[in-house]
Amino acid sequence: MQNILHQEGEKKLPLLMGILNVTPDSFSDGGNFYDPHTALAHANRLLEDGAHILDIGAESTRPGFEAVSAEDEWARLAPVLNPLLQQGTLVSVDTTKASVARASLKQGVQIINDIWGLQSDSEMPFVIADSAAHVVVMHNALKIDAERDIIADWKRFFDVSLNLAEKAGIAKERLILDPGIGFAKTPAQNIQAIRSLKILKSEYQLPILLGLSRKSMFGHFLGRSVKERLAGTLAANIAGVHEGADILRVHDIREHADAFKMYNLINEGL
């Protein structure tokens, strides 16, 4: 994946990570792709539309989500993972559980996306280290604090995560940072986080994944329902790429592929 992020001699476009939730309760598409056949059809549609990576989650992370057991999470994932991996799809699994990550990696999953940045399950760093996979280390907190200095908290949190990664033996080039838009942040803090991505990249010199698709800040600032947040998402992601984001985790792949093709043409020329 590192080679994809840093292709020599080619115009740089962000990688597009398509969201596939095989859950009954995710905030945007809960229940839509719970059935494995429906999930696989949607996965292939995302790939046809231009997704470079598929991020598959089997436990909702929306506010107030209901936790599921590792066994239930894996039972949702397995029927979808195997066919996609067999066709050579670059797959990320969105999980905080080391046992789910281990089972996924054994199947050939190339990325683990951990919303608690290796800090929730003490076995997670070692599971990642025993593979060749990349890991998305996301910033998170237990609750919203409107007085929190986001940049200072990034450093506090990511220093802990990267220390855990180093002690476990995860090579730096396998790490990707996620600023955690929408996780324990006020709408104003989310905006500050997007505006400060260059600071994050300068501090750690690591690729950045930005996941803000359809999130509640668009409802706050624009008054739009979940299904009406594409325009806001596109604008925020364009700003995010300008600030240094390398990977965009989104629901609407085709629209983002078109937007960034034009963005690149305008910025780099024909």
Side-chain angles (χ1 to χ4, degrees), residues 135-155:
V135 58
V136 178
V137 177
M138 198 194 83
H139 176 267
N140 210 334
L142 290 174
K143 62 181 180 179
I144 292 175
D145 177 0
E147 301 303 315
R148 182 181 292 128
D149 181 326
I150 291 299
I151 295 171
D153 206 62
W154 274 344
K155 181 163 176 53

Side-chain angles (χ1 to χ4, degrees), residues 43-185:
N44 284 305
R45 191 175 309 116
L46 292 171
L47 293 169
E48 290 169 5
D49 285 347
H52 303 98
I53 309 165
L54 291 183
D55 188 51
I56 306 175
E59 180 180 54
S60 173
T61 56
R62 65 176 174 79
F65 75 94
E66 184 175 343
V68 300
S69 69
E71 292 75 18
D72 287 346
E73 188 175 343
W74 179 246
R76 295 174 181 180
L77 281 169
V80 180
L81 284 183
N82 294 334
L84 290 172
L85 291 168
Q86 287 173 10
Q87 68 188 37
T89 304
L90 182 57
V91 173
S92 165
V93 165
D94 186 346
T95 186
T96 61
K97 300 182 182 69
S99 60
V100 174
R102 183 183 292 110
S104 301
L105 294 167
K106 284 182 179 178
Q107 295 296 318
V109 164
Q110 301 95 326
I111 305 168
I112 297 298
N113 185 2
D114 184 352
I115 67 164
W116 279 105
L118 304 175
Q119 298 184 35
S120 175
D121 188 327
S122 62
E123 291 299 311
M124 184 69 87
F126 300 97
V127 169
I128 302 295
D130 285 341
S131 74
H134 287 69
V135 58
V136 178
V137 177
M138 198 194 83
H139 176 267
N140 210 334
L142 290 174
K143 62 181 180 179
I144 292 175
D145 177 0
E147 301 303 315
R148 182 181 292 128
D149 181 326
I150 291 299
I151 295 171
D153 206 62
W154 274 344
K155 181 163 176 53
R156 178 200 61 77
F157 184 93
F158 287 129
D159 282 355
V160 172
S161 292
L162 270 58
N163 185 53
L164 290 170
E166 183 179 10
K167 286 184 175 179
I170 303 173
K172 183 176 179 179
E173 57 267 22
R174 292 164 57 194
L175 300 171
I176 300 163
L177 300 185
D178 181 336
I181 305 300
F183 286 82
K185 296 174 181 65

